[in-house]
Amino acid sequence: MLFSFAFSASAFDVRDDIDGIASYKTKEYGAKSVQGLADALAEDAGKGAEWYAISLCALGEYDMSAYVQALADFLSENKLMGTEAQRCALAFIACGVKSDYIDRAAENYIGKQGMMSYIWGLHLLNNGAKSSVYTAESTALAIIERQCTDGGFSITGERGDVDVTSMALCALAPHIKNNDEIADSAQKALSFLSAAQLENGGFKSRGEENSESAAQVITALCSLGIDPRTDARFIKNGNSALDALSSYKLAGGAYEHTSGAGANDIATQQALYALISLQMFDEGKGSFFIFEDKGDKTPAGFRDVEFERGNGEVPKEKADIKTIVCVAVIGVCALGIAAALLMPKKKKE
């Protein structure tokens, strides 16, 4: 009962699995409640805890103030680039925090790390972030321009990848009804995923069958309003992607990356938000990546990310000192070289 969330009866089939992950992570952090887990995520703010934070925000009303302040402090001291910065900006949005970091991530990093930075950038724009360079529609079009001939999407190469294709579909989902070109691209991607599904309901990425691929497909299908448990295109030999994902569940609540490999945090994160996606689908709440507007949840006294102080940027006065030192060193070296060249000449004279 300690870890139970509120579910409708139709979502009961995933309730135990979500509770199991919550219980596992709560014990791992040494917390005693889900709120305690939310507080404990501050320990890993900016270092991968973002998906757990986003998941908790999707599950209920939790006080995320300790986490978001720790995240802002971390970003003040560490300059994250590309998709890492976008991930943290998404966490701020999901937690309802008003931070300058959100628009900064949208402005600076969309498309700067290839396909994935377009995908995560589109998630930012879908949730209200602003960019002077890209709109949500132009970013969506930039994604479909990179579709492989087999209908999938990938980071590199000409062959689609299950994970990347699923992530692209999640980002494109809000635009399918309003753009025929995007809708056509999505249908090709769905056909790619259906053809890639294995007889046990699972999926491979980079030649390896794994739990994350099944989780990503589940999340994508739910984002598109497709039930991964019943849609005939995604049932192989009587097995669904949920059947495949469930096979990676361990007794303690965690999930493993591949069978027999043991608990894996990334696999557990992705299993959690795939299961939450199913819950949201059953309750008619839409996509996991379209965050519910719960109003301004910025904590009182919140210290936003200080770009001028940290975030990997060198303050101007320090940059000037470095420039002076560099010039001085170069000058001394030049004088030394000149002196060395003149010495043989003087000796000869």
Side-chain angles (χ1 to χ4, degrees):
M1 292 295 292
L2 179 63
F3 304 105
S4 288
F5 300 101
F7 291 86
S8 66
S10 63
F12 185 78
D13 57 338
V14 296
R15 171 176 175 168
D16 289 344
D17 293 339
I18 292 178
D19 285 352
I21 294 174
S23 177
Y24 167 75
K25 290 303 296 183
T26 300
K27 291 176 181 176
E28 186 179 59
Y29 274 105
K32 295 183 179 180
S33 66
V34 179
Q35 180 58 59
L37 170 60
D39 295 335
L41 291 177
E43 298 174 23
D44 295 314
K47 295 175 285 188
E50 286 61 56
W51 297 120
Y52 287 118
I54 293 170
S55 294
L56 286 183
C57 290
L59 285 169
E61 294 285 346
Y62 295 99
D63 180 2
M64 304 300 295
S65 57
Y67 164 77
V68 295
Q69 186 58 70
L71 179 58
D73 292 342
F74 177 86
L75 294 171
S76 290
E77 301 296 339
N78 299 273
K79 186 174 183 180
L80 301 187
M81 305 291 287
T83 56
E84 288 190 322
Q86 291 168 329
R87 179 193 72 218
C88 293
L90 282 169
F92 278 136
I93 297 174
C95 292
V97 172
K98 305 300 182 184
S99 170
D100 293 338
Y101 194 83
I102 296 168
D103 287 347
R104 190 180 182 95
E107 181 72 20
N108 293 333
Y109 300 123
I110 296 176
K112 296 300 176 64
Q113 285 185 340
M115 176 60 78
M116 294 311 301
S117 60
Y118 281 113
I119 291 172
W120 298 124
L122 182 51
H123 282 310
L124 286 174
L125 298 174
N126 288 341
N127 284 283
K130 304 299 181 184
S131 166
S132 65
V133 182
Y134 287 97
T135 63
E137 183 179 23
S138 68
T139 307
L141 292 174
I143 291 173
I144 68 172
E145 284 173 4
R146 290 159 175 77
Q147 191 164 24
C148 301
T149 55
D150 60 10
F153 292 90
S154 68
I155 296 175
T156 59
E158 298 299 322
R159 299 178 62 183
D161 175 81
V162 168
D163 291 26
V164 179
T165 302
S166 299
M167 293 176 185
L169 283 171
C170 286
L172 294 171
H175 305 280
I176 290 173
K177 290 183 179 180
N178 300 320
N179 187 299
D180 291 341
E181 190 178 356
I182 295 173
D184 181 61
S185 173
Q187 287 302 319
K188 292 176 181 176
L190 285 170
S191 295
F192 168 82
L193 291 178
S194 177
Q197 190 174 26
L198 306 174
E199 288 299 301
N200 65 356
F203 294 85
K204 290 183 178 180
S205 179
R206 300 182 183 182
E208 181 179 58
E209 185 179 353
N210 63 91
S211 66
E212 293 96 313
S213 294
Q216 291 297 340
V217 171
I218 291 169
T219 306
L221 295 180
C222 290
S223 296
L224 295 168
I226 298 170
D227 192 335
R229 298 160 294 190
T230 60
D231 192 285
R233 292 170 294 179
F234 296 95
I235 306 294
K236 300 295 188 295
N237 196 30
N239 298 306
S240 70
L242 181 60
D243 293 322
L245 179 62
S246 298
S247 71
Y248 296 96
K249 181 176 63 176
L250 300 175
Y255 283 70
E256 49 190 355
H257 168 62
T258 55
S259 296
N264 179 281
D265 199 52
I266 294 176
T268 304
Q269 287 177 6
Q270 296 188 21
L272 177 59
Y273 68 69
L275 295 168
I276 293 172
S277 294
L278 276 169
Q279 174 202 337
M280 294 176 68
F281 174 85
D282 286 335
E283 296 180 348
K285 292 184 177 179
S287 171
F288 174 82
F289 287 103
I290 300 297
F291 306 132
E292 181 183 353
D293 185 2
K294 299 178 180 179
D296 188 353
K297 298 292 184 180
T298 307
F302 176 68
R303 300 182 305 278
D304 203 355
V305 180
E306 299 181 21
F307 298 99
E308 70 281 1
R309 175 171 66 84
N311 201 37
E313 297 179 3
V314 180
K316 190 176 186 302
E317 60 270 18
K318 291 186 179 180
D320 291 342
I321 292 171
K322 285 188 175 182
T323 301
I324 294 169
V325 171
C326 288
V327 171
V329 170
I330 291 171
V332 171
C333 290
L335 289 173
I337 293 170
L341 291 173
L342 288 172
M343 285 180 66
K345 184 177 180 181
K346 288 184 177 181
K347 284 184 179 181
K348 186 175 181 180
E349 289 174 350

